[in-house]
Amino acid sequence: MNLSPEILSLRDDTVALRRDFHQHPELGFRETRTAGIVAERLRSLGLSVATGVATTGVIGLHGDAFGRAVLLRADMDALPLTEENEVAYASQNPGVMHACGHDGHTAMLLSVAKILSQTPAPRGVCYKFVFQPAEEGGGGARVMIDEGAPRDPEVAVAVAAHLWNDLPVGKLGVRAGPVLASADHFVVTLTGKGGHGAMPHQTRDPIVVAAELILAWQTIVSRNVDPVDSAALTIGAVEAGTVANIIPDRARLKGTLRALSPATRQRVIDRVETILKGVTAAHELTHEFNFTTGYPPTVNTGEPTEVVRQAAVETVGAGNVVEQDLVMGAEDMSFFLQQVPGCFFVVGSRNEEKGLAAPHHNARFDFDEDALLVGAETMVRAARKLASQLAADGED
Ligand SMILES: [Zn+2]
Ligand SMILES: [Zn+2]
């Protein structure tokens, strides 16, 4: 591992910050304490700081405010979960826990900001440190974009890191193209006609239609999606009826859709609705289709991803940089990557020997804090490379 003295000198501070955030987790759009500390830290580094972006988001600038920006992003929110870890820095906020590692992301990016702000940014370039609220479902990134985060100064490239317990500490995962899926949700309400369970001919049974729909939808992934592409369609909730001998009037289904490309995502959505219309019409039922657009697929752009890969290789050595696994989970960094080229990479943070191996979103989730240094080092290296590229482009 090739950690610079400047990163190593920040070890204690980074870990202390992370533990402080861990002890005081806050849910999406309510990260007031965390945002307060972030803003104060950034100001103490001499950065120009905007607060209250998307309610609790914070943006710090270092460099040419009229130049082109390298955006570095961290998410600050925790999850509604009761921590089961028995550690000194366990959550003091019952029912709320940093179980995804966003406490680490925030601490890590503050250390990155500290290092990058110690030297002038290249000519015509600005580092934009974005601390966003509500990654876990709230789409804080979307709100920050709506409030102008990619402008003033104009963002040319964006990078974010996620601590990753699927990978051991000391490894980094980088991948060009899609890395995470889109995540959309829908609720279908089927309305038929209830009646006696022994006289089904007098009814229009929404339960039978719900069953047929669930199976018919399964053909979407198997028959409408290219087998070398990927999508997932899950019905996670079925609500209907009360007792054995009554056919109810209504049934309700709740589902989630995942896809790795915008085209496949649209195809799956269209097929869900077409099948819904056909099956309900065939059985003389009516339906309501409430579709909620969620996060788009997270898609990394080629060039900046190669820059991050190079930074990763310099930090941990080529043998420790792996092709990031495709995962059907979703991330709202995807909204930034829809706007500008960039890269979302993962930082191995599992350590079996230290008992730090629980999965993300688990009540026993915790990670090896050495990962914070690896992630910060990689981000600093990548940011510097991207900034000098922008400066060089500006001189052409
Ligand atoms: Zn998460
Ligand atoms: Zn996360």
Side-chain angles (χ1 to χ4, degrees), residues 75 79 99-102 135-136 162 330-331 360-361:
D75 38 13
L79 287 156
C100 201
H102 301 184
E135 190 287 320
E136 299 285 2
H162 204 301
E331 239 294 332
H360 293 259
H361 292 208

Side-chain angles (χ1 to χ4, degrees), residues 21 31 94 201:
F21 293 140
E31 307 89 337
H201 59 291

Side-chain angles (χ1 to χ4, degrees), residues 331-351:
E331 239 294 332
D332 77 350
M333 178 63 187
S334 52
F335 288 116
F336 283 113
L337 297 178
Q338 274 187 329
Q339 306 275 322
V340 294
C343 177
F344 172 85
F345 68 102
V346 296
V347 181
S349 53
R350 185 178 74 228
N351 189 330

Side-chain angles (χ1 to χ4, degrees), residues 27 41 109 151 158 202 296 350 378:
L27 294 174
R41 285 260 176 166
L109 190 57
R151 295 181 293 281
Q202 295 173 353
R350 185 178 74 228
T378 309

